[in-house]
Amino acid sequence: MVDQYVLGSILASVLGLVFLYRLFVKRSDQGGSVEAAESTTTTTTAINGECRSKNGGDDADVIIVGAGVAGAALAHTLGKDGRRVHVIERDLTEPDRIVGELLQPGGYLKLIELGLEDCVEKIDSQRVFGYALFKDGKNTKLSYPLENFHSDVSGRSFHNGRFIQRMREKAASLPNVRLEQGTVTSLLEEKGTIKGVQYKTKNGDEMMAYAPLTIVCDGCFSNLRRSLCSPKVEVPSCFVGLVLENSQLPYANHGHVVLADPSPILFYPISSTEIRCLVDVPGQKVPSISNGEMGKYLKTVVAPQVPPELHDGFIAAIDKGNIRTMPNRSMPAVPHPTPGALLMGDAFNMRHPLTGGGMTVALSDIVVLRDLLKPLLDLNDAPTLCKYLESFYTLRKVGCSKIGDWTPVASTINTLAGALYKVFCASPDQARKEMRQACFDYLSLGGFFSMGPVSLLSGLNPRPLSLVCHFFAVAIFGVGRLLLPFPSPKRMWIGARLISSASGIIFPIIKAEGVRQMFFPATVPAYYRAPPRVDDS
């Protein structure tokens, strides 16, 4: 428990920030219920694990490269709007990944908006109502603020591959969507305009496909992004993935974050009998699995920090031997507006997966793009379309918009993911230690102090100003803890370094996301362009 002196310092220290928050951050109107969009479930034929539509035509309005979460959802969305869509995916069998398994409530709302909410059904998905945070034997529960939403709204966790297959089936059920297995080898360019793609079919035949608009969303390992953006990929850490069977989480239907040394450990349910564990290992190299170093590391370094309720299941999962690893990538969106092409999903923008925000960002981007494309009857004027779609890159980062009813979450979730990961990692620096402890204690206060950050994490209140206010409120709270009851020169120095460290964490991330795009979008020339006019004929 935080004593009365510290609580007093909180109220005094963050009063100004709270005032600014109330003044400038308008609480989102989330009232009422969320009505699910109408959807029709139809049976599709599956051949060798592939979902195929009945569309035999070769002409397309849009080519989509990749049928992961972003590609499959986008194919269904554009197909439902009447576009002829050709999707080319390298492997249409069910994916098996250790990430992309937790969809935040904000992402689930986007799923409803796109008419895809039934894709989390019949896959043994689990409802998630918040997080539990563990540190040094203490824990606190952080609930999503779902009171003003329909009872069905919550987070969802599941096997990533099952979720993707459901969306592929949904997309392939539309007669104007063609889902094909093939490997895209290059974009077809003519006078600076992308005209389509060259690809190899499942049988190895070289083919070309043409469309007025090609959307590349072939994932984090994209081999096409260099043609459309300036990638600056960082790998801050790797995830080591395990599955705990028949274990019980300390808090049912919650994600669990352990602030361990050297970096966080995550637990969350992915089915009614399975719990996913992700151990974050800083750096690009992990202990070898084949020679037993990984098992030894997990048992000697990680296991003692695991909550007691999960310890036996954790050891059993290690002994079972199904240990997998995946590098965690971070890449700000730095696109080259290119006529005839657009980047989306992890091919375009990545953030540390600690906060589970990747799918929420992708689905939010699809809503923005859908609304931008809706008034366009003809996509063939590539230069004009390119200038018009430049606004997509700005609108996706905006916390609120005067154009329509959009609440894109990209910049907020990207910034939160990067900042939270750095705060949650252990550090020998005393100022960073104080920041980490202050974050845990600040969230443990509950009420306004936990609801605001959890609203950001969940994608329910994706406002950049709210993020900045809470981040520095944590820093000021940490300084207040240091200075009470009696400040000393050493504690004042640590407090100054704490503020400096907090600034050094968040400001570079905001700079990479774009200060103007996040906070002053109306000053960006491509903030909004009127749809290209089409003469009636």
Side-chain angles (χ1 to χ4, degrees):
M1 292 292 293
V2 180
D3 60 32
Q4 294 180 350
Y5 289 107
V6 176
L7 185 58
S9 74
I10 299 166
L11 299 176
S13 300
V14 303
L15 182 61
L17 285 172
V18 172
F19 175 74
L20 288 174
Y21 180 88
R22 296 294 184 187
L23 185 62
F24 294 107
V25 183
K26 187 178 181 180
R27 296 182 63 185
S28 56
D29 182 12
Q30 305 166 343
S33 63
V34 178
E35 298 180 0
E38 294 183 1
S39 60
T40 304
T41 304
T42 60
T43 302
T44 60
T45 57
I47 303 175
N48 294 329
E50 299 182 14
C51 304
R52 296 182 179 177
S53 73
K54 299 178 181 179
N55 180 23
D58 291 329
D59 295 334
D61 299 313
V62 180
I63 292 172
I64 298 176
V65 182
V69 171
L74 182 62
H76 175 265
T77 300
L78 297 183
K80 195 170 65 171
D81 281 353
R83 309 284 184 186
R84 295 167 298 170
V85 182
H86 183 186
V87 186
I88 305 172
E89 163 59 37
R90 182 182 59 83
D91 185 0
L92 284 172
T93 57
E94 183 175 308
D96 183 15
R97 304 181 65 202
I98 65 172
V99 293
E101 297 173 316
L102 196 153
L103 180 67
Q104 298 287 1
Y108 182 72
L109 289 174
K110 296 299 178 183
L111 210 63
I112 293 174
E113 193 170 350
L114 295 170
L116 291 166
E117 69 277 10
D118 58 343
C119 291
V120 298
E121 299 172 1
K122 300 180 181 178
I123 60 173
D124 197 18
S125 67
Q126 303 298 299
R127 300 187 71 184
V128 178
F129 298 108
Y131 279 87
L133 203 58
F134 293 74
K135 186 179 186 298
D136 300 332
K138 298 180 180 179
N139 66 81
T140 184
K141 187 172 75 169
L142 310 171
S143 298
Y144 293 138
L146 300 173
E147 296 80 6
N148 294 325
F149 292 94
H150 187 278
S151 61
D152 187 52
V153 176
S154 66
R156 292 292 194 282
S157 55
F158 38 67
H159 281 269
N160 173 268
R162 297 175 187 175
F163 178 56
I164 287 176
Q165 287 300 90
R166 287 280 287 159
M167 289 203 293
R168 288 174 177 175
E169 292 170 4
K170 191 90 181 264
S173 70
L174 299 174
N176 51 327
V177 175
R178 178 186 174 197
L179 191 56
E180 180 180 8
Q181 182 162 307
T183 302
V184 175
T185 54
S186 63
L187 301 174
L188 299 176
E189 184 178 340
E190 181 181 317
K191 297 180 180 178
T193 298
I194 303 301
K195 297 292 186 179
V197 299
Q198 183 170 344
Y199 67 103
K200 285 186 178 181
T201 66
K202 186 178 180 181
N203 298 324
D205 297 329
E206 291 279 357
M207 302 287 287
M208 288 188 246
Y210 297 91
L213 180 61
T214 298
I215 302 177
V216 175
C217 37
D218 54 347
C220 60
F221 299 105
S222 174
N223 62 341
L224 301 175
R225 66 161 66 101
R226 291 188 179 277
S227 304
L228 303 172
C229 76
S230 301
K232 298 178 181 178
V233 181
E234 295 182 1
V235 183
S237 66
C238 296
F239 267 157
V240 178
L242 300 164
V243 175
L244 282 60
E245 297 178 345
N246 300 311
S247 295
Q248 296 295 322
L249 288 164
Y251 295 94
N253 299 103
H254 281 69
H256 292 58
V257 181
V258 181
L259 301 189
D261 187 355
S263 51
I265 308 167
L266 308 181
F267 294 92
Y268 51 88
I270 54 174
S271 74
S272 55
T273 60
E274 297 167 299
I275 296 171
R276 167 67 70 195
C277 171
L278 294 174
V279 179
D280 186 85
V281 179
Q284 300 184 26
K285 293 184 179 181
V286 297
S288 172
I289 297 175
S290 59
N291 66 9
E293 288 182 4
M294 178 63 78
K296 181 180 179 181
Y297 173 81
L298 293 174
K299 287 184 176 181
T300 59
V301 177
V302 180
Q305 304 180 77
V306 169
E309 299 92 331
L310 298 170
H311 184 270
D312 291 346
F314 183 76
I315 297 296
I318 298 170
D319 291 338
K320 189 174 181 180
N322 188 20
I323 303 172
R324 302 175 57 195
T325 64
M326 180 174 181
N328 294 322
R329 290 172 167 81
S330 177
M331 185 185 79
V334 189
H336 300 314
T338 305
L342 198 70
L343 268 172
M344 291 194 72
D346 283 349
F348 170 50
N349 183 206
M350 294 180 282
R351 78 292 307 150
H352 195 285
L354 172 69
T355 58
M359 290 187 290
T360 301
V361 170
L363 295 170
S364 176
D365 285 354
I366 290 169
V367 171
V368 174
L369 183 62
R370 177 200 65 182
D371 292 345
L372 281 172
L373 289 178
K374 263 186 178 179
L376 303 183
L377 302 178
D378 185 7
L379 303 178
N380 284 288
D381 187 350
T384 303
L385 178 63
C386 178
K387 289 182 179 179
Y388 172 63
L389 289 182
E390 278 186 56
S391 58
F392 165 76
Y393 295 124
T394 298
L395 288 171
R396 67 182 295 274
K397 295 185 176 185
V398 184
C400 57
S401 174
K402 294 182 290 185
I403 311 302
D405 187 25
W406 297 323
T407 53
V409 301
S411 58
T412 304
I413 287 182
N414 289 346
T415 305
L416 178 65
L420 209 56
Y421 176 70
K422 291 184 178 181
V423 171
F424 278 0
C425 283
S427 171
D429 182 73
Q430 187 62 36
R432 291 285 295 274
K433 286 182 180 180
E434 291 291 340
M435 182 74 176
R436 192 184 195 215
Q437 185 64 49
C439 186
F440 179 84
D441 288 340
Y442 181 90
L443 293 172
S444 299
L445 293 172
F448 167 82
F449 302 100
S450 65
M451 185 177 296
V454 174
S455 294
L456 291 162
L457 179 70
S458 63
L460 296 173
N461 178 27
R463 299 182 185 276
L465 186 57
S466 173
L467 169 59
V468 173
C469 284
H470 278 289
F471 188 81
F472 280 102
V474 169
I476 294 171
F477 171 52
V479 173
R481 288 161 45 90
L482 285 166
L483 299 184
L484 290 177
F486 301 107
S488 67
K490 181 180 178 180
R491 287 173 169 266
M492 292 175 66
W493 172 242
I494 295 173
R497 288 200 296 113
L498 192 157
I499 295 294
S500 176
S501 176
S503 301
I505 288 173
I506 197 168
F507 287 146
I509 302 173
I510 290 176
K511 182 180 178 182
E513 286 296 312
V515 176
R516 292 175 67 190
Q517 288 87 342
M518 286 181 66
F519 299 100
F520 311 103
T523 68
V524 180
Y527 172 57
Y528 182 74
R529 299 180 191 277
R533 297 181 61 182
V534 179
D535 296 332
D536 296 332
S537 59

